[in-house]
């Protein structure tokens, strides 16, 4: 099979690594990819939003399947265009991707179908949003409606702060994404990311992970796209997963189909697990980054038949995918200054050595200079992944590899996995 993979982050490097191991693969083309992916396929310098060029590339290589990594490509309508020329695509249509690209759409959808989530209101005017602060109680959860690179959520402790945040958002802090604002009830509990595949009609769970969104140790500092993750996540015990499957994942796939908007691809449900069971914090229309990296490290089944079935139908005919019982972890190495203003161009040494058993380093924002030197070219730059018989072992392996990488221009969190490890220490099974 010929496959075109779209994207350039750590998520896509992990997908490329996994796809490249499939016996079904003949040719892998990656657009635009990154230096770490160059060994796995042919790189083409095409932006994920350049739908014309991506479609032309898919035709030229006679792609049997296009795998879309980032939401920007979905929002640009890549899946729709590919459908119109008869090329199978893993990734939802633009309308189906509204589960991620419009928080107002996602909230109304969940309300229509009784899918558990926080109470909310949608506001197009600053005046109305401020008035709504009377209805909600602190802390106030304020969300820009549109795509804001994972940064469009503000949680304000009190009224005064919330009012000034609303002024900022309507004033354009998130650009057009903030022209409409969703205010939500604050949910308590523990968060986790649950992934499910769908061919538009059937859903199949792919497992869970927990990420660390704050920049610094102890869950402090600004929100980021994710500084690390691990899987499995103890928050997803069997009852919670069953509740999420029957009350959230399956009803979502069924209702999208019933609304004439079949959802094909991976559904990422960000869940808050509290006393009343799992509730939806947000949906994403793609794999999580860096959660995808640990899922791919742990997945034993060939990924390609699943991606193809999502695109073409017939997911129900495949067996449940097999995952290693081992624990997986990913530690993100980010450029100093991330997320606000990451420093570009610093030299990275030692990232491409053999790190030994159970360890993989996936690239994200890297660039190779003509002399071969690897440099930082983005916020999140490297993903150091490891598996082990326990989370503690996986973590020890990952941090050993982190220490072997010489990159003074970067930083990382040193406590990835703390929540699960604290549970282990507190339990009899430790
Ligand atoms: P989102 O981009 O919607 O996932 O929001 C970013 C983060 O804000 C989430 O990971 C949560 O930690 C937090 N958050 C969002 N919505 C809520 C909510 N309704 N209640 C509590 N925390 C929330
Ligand atoms: N790690 C969070 C996300 O991919 O949105």
């Amino acid at each position: 099979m010929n496959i075109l993979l779209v994207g350039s982050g750590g998520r896509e490097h992990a997908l490329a690594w996994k796809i490249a191991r499939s016996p079904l693969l003949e040719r892998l083309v990656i657009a635009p990819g990154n230096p770490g992916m160059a060994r796995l396929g042919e790189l083409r310098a095409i932006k994920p939003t350049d739908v014309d060029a991506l479609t032309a590339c898919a035709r030229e290589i006679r792609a049997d399947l296009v795998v879309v990594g980032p939401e920007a490509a979905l929002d640009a309508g890549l899946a729709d265009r590919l459908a119109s020329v008869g090329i199978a695509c893993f990734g939802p249509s633009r309308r189906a991707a509204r589960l991620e690209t419009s928080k107002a759409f996602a909230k109304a959808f969940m309300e229509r179908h009784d899918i558990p989530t926080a109470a909310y209101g949608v506001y197009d005017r600053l005046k109305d949003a401020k008035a709504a602060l009377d209805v909600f109680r602190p802390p106030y959860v304020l969300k820009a409606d549109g795509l804001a690179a994972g940064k469009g959520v503000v949680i304000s402790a009190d009224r005064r702060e919330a009012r000034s945040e609303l002024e900022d958002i309507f004033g354009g802090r998130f650009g057009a994404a903030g022209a409409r604002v969703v205010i939500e009830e604050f949910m308590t509990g523990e968060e986790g990311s649950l992934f499910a595949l769908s061919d538009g009609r059937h859903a199949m769970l792919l497992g869970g992970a927990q990420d660390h969104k704050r920049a610094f140790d102890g869950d402090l500092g600004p929100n980021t796209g994710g500084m690390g993750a691990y899987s499995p996540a103890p928050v997803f015990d069997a009852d919670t997963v069953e509740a999420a499957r029957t009350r959230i994942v399956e009803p979502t796939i069924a209702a999208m189909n019933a609304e004439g908007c079949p959802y094909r691809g991976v559904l990422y449900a960000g869940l808050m697990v509290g006393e009343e069971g799992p509730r939806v914090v947000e949906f994403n229309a793609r794999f999580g980054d860096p959660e995808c990296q640990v899922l791919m490290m742990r997945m034993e089944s060939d990924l390609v038949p699943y991606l193809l079935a999502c695109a073409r139908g017939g997911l129900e005919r495949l067996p449940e995918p097999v995952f290693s019982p081992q624990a997986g972890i990913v530690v993100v190495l980010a450029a100093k200054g991330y997320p606000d203003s990451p420093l570009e161009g610093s030299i990275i040494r030692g990232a491409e050595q053999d790190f030994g058993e159970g360890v993989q380093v996936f690239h994200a924002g890297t660039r190779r200079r003509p002399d071969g030197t690897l440099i930082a070219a983005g916020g999140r730059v490297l993903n150091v992944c490891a598996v082990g018989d326990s989370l503690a072992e996986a973590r020890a392996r990952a941090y050993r590899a982190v220490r072997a990488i010489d990159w003074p221009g970067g930083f990382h969190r040193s406590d990835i996995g703390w929540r699960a490890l604290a549970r282990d220490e507190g339990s009899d099974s430790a």
Side-chain angles (χ1 to χ4, degrees):
M1 272 181 49
N2 298 335
I3 296 180
L4 171 63
L5 171 65
V6 177
S8 63
R11 166 180 54 208
E12 288 80 16
H13 189 175
L15 289 170
W17 174 77
K18 186 71 183 148
I19 290 169
R21 298 158 75 122
S22 171
L24 299 172
L25 183 74
E26 277 165 45
R27 183 176 181 193
L28 178 60
V29 175
I30 309 163
N34 65 41
M37 292 150 94
R39 267 180 289 179
L40 300 170
E42 306 155 45
L43 306 189
R44 298 283 176 94
I46 309 172
K47 284 203 199 101
T49 49
D50 190 343
V51 171
D52 289 340
L54 289 169
T55 307
C57 175
R59 281 184 137 154
E60 179 216 314
I61 70 160
R62 297 172 181 278
D64 300 289
L65 176 68
V66 176
V67 179
V68 183
E71 64 275 18
L74 302 170
D75 195 37
L78 180 57
D80 308 77
R81 178 72 70 78
L82 290 167
S84 76
V85 298
I87 297 176
C89 176
F90 175 84
S93 68
R94 186 165 192 228
R95 284 183 68 232
R98 282 177 303 167
L99 280 180
E100 167 166 9
T101 60
S102 168
K103 292 193 187 286
F105 170 83
K107 294 299 287 188
F109 172 86
M110 287 186 269
E111 187 172 48
R112 277 198 298 285
H113 300 288
D114 229 0
I115 292 165
T117 188
Y120 77 106
V122 180
Y123 307 94
D124 289 312
R125 295 192 314 181
L126 175 62
K127 195 168 107 260
D128 300 336
K130 280 183 172 172
L133 297 177
D134 286 338
V135 182
F136 291 91
R137 269 183 293 178
Y140 300 100
V141 181
L142 317 172
K143 301 187 174 183
D145 174 49
L147 284 181
K151 291 165 201 152
V153 177
V154 177
I155 297 182
S156 300
D158 61 55
R159 275 283 271 277
R160 239 189 42 182
E161 192 186 308
R163 289 171 70 92
S164 102
E165 294 284 4
L166 284 172
E167 281 163 17
D168 255 30
I169 299 174
F170 278 104
R173 191 200 315 168
F174 302 119
R180 166 177 281 185
V181 169
V182 175
I183 303 183
E184 285 185 14
E185 164 203 357
F186 181 82
M187 297 185 286
T188 54
E190 187 172 340
E191 275 186 87
S193 312
L194 190 69
F195 297 89
L197 296 174
S198 175
D199 61 3
R201 297 188 327 134
H202 310 94
M204 186 181 267
L205 290 185
L206 203 58
Q210 200 163 43
D211 80 344
H212 297 257
K213 288 199 162 89
R214 301 298 196 101
F216 309 129
D217 283 6
D219 290 331
L220 299 173
N223 247 319
T224 71
M227 292 298 291
Y230 54 95
S231 169
V235 64
F236 291 126
D237 58 39
D239 288 348
T240 303
V241 170
E242 190 55 15
R245 187 172 66 78
T246 55
R247 285 192 231 141
I248 295 170
V249 173
E250 289 175 352
T252 297
I253 297 304
M256 287 297 282
N257 195 26
E259 291 193 1
C261 219
Y263 187 95
R264 298 187 185 91
V266 57
L267 180 69
Y268 162 163
L271 303 179
M272 185 71 79
V273 182
E275 277 176 6
E276 59 299 276
R279 294 202 284 167
V280 177
V281 177
E282 62 163 354
F283 281 128
N284 291 308
R286 48 166 176 90
F287 278 111
D289 185 347
E291 293 97 320
C292 180
Q293 288 84 312
V294 275
L295 288 183
M296 293 305 113
M297 291 288 289
R298 289 188 54 235
M299 188 171 184
E300 289 179 346
S301 308
D302 183 356
L303 176 65
V304 170
Y306 291 90
L307 300 177
L308 200 59
C310 288
R312 289 188 184 160
L315 190 61
E316 82 283 10
R317 291 195 292 275
L318 294 181
E320 295 279 322
V322 178
F323 281 84
S324 155
Q326 287 196 309
I329 192 165
V330 48
V331 178
V332 170
L333 309 193
K336 282 184 181 159
Y338 175 75
D340 296 330
S341 43
L343 287 176
E344 296 219 351
S346 55
I347 294 177
I348 305 162
R349 291 195 176 83
E352 293 172 297
Q353 59 184 293
D354 179 0
F355 290 97
E357 198 195 329
V359 178
Q360 289 293 331
V361 174
F362 296 123
H363 291 212
T366 61
R367 192 159 60 223
R368 200 177 298 287
R369 289 203 309 218
D371 67 1
T373 312
L374 200 64
I375 59 171
R380 293 187 292 173
V381 173
L382 293 170
N383 300 263
V384 179
C385 302
V387 289
D389 289 338
S390 63
L391 183 60
E393 182 183 58
R395 178 158 126 146
R397 281 179 173 167
Y399 280 109
R400 206 175 304 132
V402 168
R403 285 192 297 275
I405 296 172
D406 175 17
W407 181 31
F411 76 98
H412 62 271
R413 280 184 60 161
S414 59
D415 62 350
I416 301 304
W418 70 265
R419 204 184 285 275
L421 288 167
R423 280 196 193 213
D424 282 355
E425 278 158 20
S427 78
D428 298 338
S429 62

